[in-house]
Amino acid sequence: MFAKPARLFLLIQAVAVIPLLAGLYFQWPLPISIGLAAVAAFTLARVWHEEAWWPWIHLAFLPAVFITTQLQIDSYWFLLAFILTWLIFGRISASRVPLFLSEQQALEALAQIIPPGQRFLDVGAGTGRVLAYLAQHRPDLQLSGVEMALLPWLMGRCTLGSRIGWLRADYQTLDFADYDCIYAYLSPAAMPDLWRKARAEMKEGAILISNSFAIDEQEPTQTLPLHDWKNGKLLIWQM
């Protein structure tokens, strides 16, 4: 119904203000009014949002705003928090991809399963952790990574060796035909677009690997459990 999660979030919170205003009109205690609004937002999110975590964010949002206003925090701290969030995550409202760092189990598994001599691309590469590990353990690979958020990209720029291609760009601007193996640790919201691009551009026999996140109605060629703290897995599709 609503393509953009950010717009849907605002709509739900706007509707949830109605019970808050009703509580203020009838002079109910403010915590009760806020609680009603939070429950209303939670209920709407259960209906309208697909992802399971959104209702809990909606439930906590108005109470968190109320508590914050009682703390009398200077306004410049909010500006600094916004700037820091943008530096770390970039335009997350558009990309719908937070910063995920691949665990050690994923790094070790990748080093074992990537065929020799592959042109490897890490999509949404964060700080370059995957590329740094593969550069050390798989010197036969031609390594590249792409990241949009400024601060993680700068960290990668300062730490990765010169033989690794390190791009600050939207991965949609790249040609997937230039790579034999593409790795992504994104989010459920980003997987449909990634799959469409991979199907359109990757060559026959090329490999797409997703850390943890599946693609709806696309059964992976292979699934490799990681046995990490979140029971993650590598999902592998061969084109």
Side-chain angles (χ1 to χ4, degrees), residues 91-160:
R91 293 185 59 200
I92 192 171
S93 62
S95 69
R96 297 173 291 172
V97 179
L99 177 63
F100 290 123
L101 300 179
S102 297
E103 300 83 357
Q104 183 67 24
Q105 292 90 335
L107 304 181
E108 294 172 358
L110 283 172
Q112 294 177 9
I113 65 175
I114 301 173
Q118 296 271 288
R119 296 170 298 171
F120 176 89
L121 174 68
D122 186 356
V123 171
T127 61
R129 173 177 166 83
V130 170
L131 299 171
Y133 184 89
L134 292 178
Q136 181 179 0
H137 294 85
R138 289 294 304 273
D140 60 299
L141 300 177
Q142 300 177 46
L143 300 172
S144 299
V146 58
E147 174 58 48
M148 273 292 293
L150 181 58
L151 190 57
W153 179 86
L154 284 173
M155 293 176 65
R157 180 74 288 167
C158 293
T159 58
L160 295 175

Side-chain angles (χ1 to χ4, degrees), residues 40-77:
F42 177 87
T43 304
L44 291 172
R46 289 287 299 269
V47 176
W48 287 349
H49 274 296
E50 294 180 1
E51 295 85 358
W53 60 82
W54 277 113
W56 301 103
I57 296 174
H58 282 281
L59 181 67
F61 181 73
L62 277 178
V65 170
F66 173 72
I67 293 171
T68 302
T69 59
Q70 305 306 303
L71 297 178
Q72 298 182 342
I73 301 173
D74 290 331
S75 58
Y76 65 82
W77 286 109

Side-chain angles (χ1 to χ4, degrees), residues 9 11 14-15 24 50 102 108 116 159 167 208:
F9 185 96
L11 175 62
V15 174
L24 295 176
E50 294 180 1
S102 297
E108 294 172 358
T159 58
L167 306 172
L208 174 65

Side-chain angles (χ1 to χ4, degrees), residues 13-26 28 32-41 62:
Q13 290 296 326
V15 174
V17 167
I18 295 174
L20 173 62
L21 295 176
L24 295 176
Y25 177 81
F26 291 107
W28 296 336
I32 293 178
S33 301
I34 292 174
L36 289 173
V39 171
L62 277 178

